[in-house]
Amino acid sequence: MSSVDTAADTLADLQERALAAIAAATTLDDLDEARVTFTGRKSDLATVQQSMGRISAEERPVLGKALNAFKAVVEGALADQREVLEAAALDRRLAGERLDLTIPPLAVPPGRPHLISQVQDLMVDTFVAMGWRVADGPEVESAAYAFDAMNIPPDHPARQDMDTIYLQDGRVDAYGLPEVILRPHTSPVQARVMRTQQPPIAIVIPGRTYRNDSVDATHSPVFTQMEGLMVGEGITMAHLRGSLQAFARAMFGPDRDIRLRPSMFPFTEPSAEVDVSWGTNPDGTTRWLEILGSGMVDPLVLSWCGIDPERYSGFAFGIGVERVAMLRHGVSDIRDFYEGDARFSAQF
Ligand code: DAH
C-alpha cells in the first residue's frame, strides 16, 4: 500500500470519528474540544499533513485533495453544530430570563410630600390665587442684604437677637463683621426683588432659614419661613389687613378673624404682630394666637432698594411655616417634622 493510501485511510477514519464527536457535542465547550482534537496542531490531521513532505511529487496533489475534502467536511460539520448549540444556548437563556407578568407586584405604599412642603404649598397657593407671584433667593446670604438692606445696622440689637450663623470664609464688611451668613429670615429676598423690579410688586418668598438656636419642642436651627411683600401706589395698612385676613381664613377656616397688635421691626413702620382667633377662653372672651409679624415697608428700605418712597408704599410680612403646620395639624413638637419617622409623616 502506498503512503497515500495509508494517509487516505487515516483521513477516512479520522473523519468518521470527528463527525461522531461533533454530533455528540452537547455544549459549545464540547464542540471546541472536538475541534482541537481533530483539527488542532497536535491532532492526527496534523500528522497526516506533516506526511505530505515525505511522499512523492506525483502523489502530493492526490493527498492534498483528500486533505481539503476532509477539512471542508469537518469544518462544515463544526459550523453547523455550532449554530445548533448556540441556538439552544440562547433558548435556554431566554427561558431562564422569562418574567411571569401575572405575579402580583409587592405593594409599595405611595410616597407623598412632607407636611412642611404641603403646608408651604398651601400657603403659597393662597396668595397665588389672589394674583401674587413667587420669588426665591439664596440661603447663603450677605449681611448687607440680610441686615443693612433691612434697616438693621451693625450696632442694632436685632442683629444679635437673630442668633445668626456666620460662615467662616474670612470676608468682613465695612465694620469688620463677618460678611457671609446663613440667612436668619427670608426678608433679604424683599430687597433682592425690589432692587431688580419696579412696582407694582406682589410676591411671596417661601424658603429655609437658619439660626444658631438649640433644638427643643418649638425651636430648630433650620426652619421655614414665608415672606410676603406688596409694593405699589396707594398701598395702605388696609391692604395688609385684608390680605392677611383672607390668608388666615384660607389656612385655618372661614370663621377666623385676625387682630393687629403694635409691634416693632426695623424694616417696617408701623409694625404689627398679627394674631388669629382660636376659639374662646373659659371666661368667654376670644382666644388669640400670634401667627406672624408684619408692617408697612420702612421708607428707608424702599430707598435703599431704588424705589421712590414718595410715590410708592408697601406692606410686608413674615410667617413661620412650621408654626402654621403645628397649629393647623395639632403638632406639638417641632422635632417631629425633622426626625423622619414614617409613622409621623404617614399621618398627613
Ligand atoms: N423677618 C422677621 C423675622 O424673621 C419676620 C418679619 C416681620 C418679616 C415683619 C416681615 C415683617 O416682612 O414685615 O422675625
Side-chain angles (χ1 to χ4, degrees), residues 223-295:
F223 56 108
T224 321
Q225 285 191 339
M226 187 184 76
E227 194 80 12
L229 173 72
M230 176 176 275
V231 183
E233 280 180 83
I235 299 293
T236 71
M237 205 95 181
H239 297 109
L240 180 159
R241 195 179 204 294
S243 304
L244 294 177
Q245 168 116 315
F247 168 73
R249 290 184 174 169
M251 294 308 296
F252 301 113
D255 52 348
R256 301 296 169 144
D257 271 321
I258 61 164
R259 125 182 134 169
L260 272 56
R261 272 182 299 109
S263 184
M264 171 39 228
F265 298 104
F267 29 90
T268 45
E269 181 58 40
S271 304
E273 220 113 45
V274 175
D275 299 339
V276 63
S277 62
W278 211 269
T280 44
N281 291 313
D283 67 0
T285 55
T286 305
R287 188 171 163 225
W288 297 97
L289 291 183
E290 182 191 320
I291 53 163
L292 61 89
S294 65

Side-chain angles (χ1 to χ4, degrees), residues 308-327:
D308 179 6
E310 298 294 326
R311 181 169 171 203
Y312 297 110
S313 55
F315 71 86
F317 60 90
I319 180 166
V321 177
E322 281 80 356
R323 174 142 175 89
V324 173
M326 288 169 88
L327 291 175

Side-chain angles (χ1 to χ4, degrees), residues 26 28 82-99:
T26 55
L28 288 167
R82 170 168 296 274
E83 232 170 75
V84 169
L85 292 177
E86 275 173 354
L90 182 64
D91 283 348
R92 265 198 308 281
R93 220 183 72 210
L94 291 179
E97 286 174 2
R98 172 165 296 140
L99 296 177

Side-chain angles (χ1 to χ4, degrees), residues 115-125 206-207 224 226 321:
L115 181 57
I116 293 299
S117 303
Q118 290 182 39
V119 169
Q120 176 180 303
D121 288 350
L122 195 63
M123 290 167 65
V124 168
D125 288 351
T224 321
M226 187 184 76
V321 177

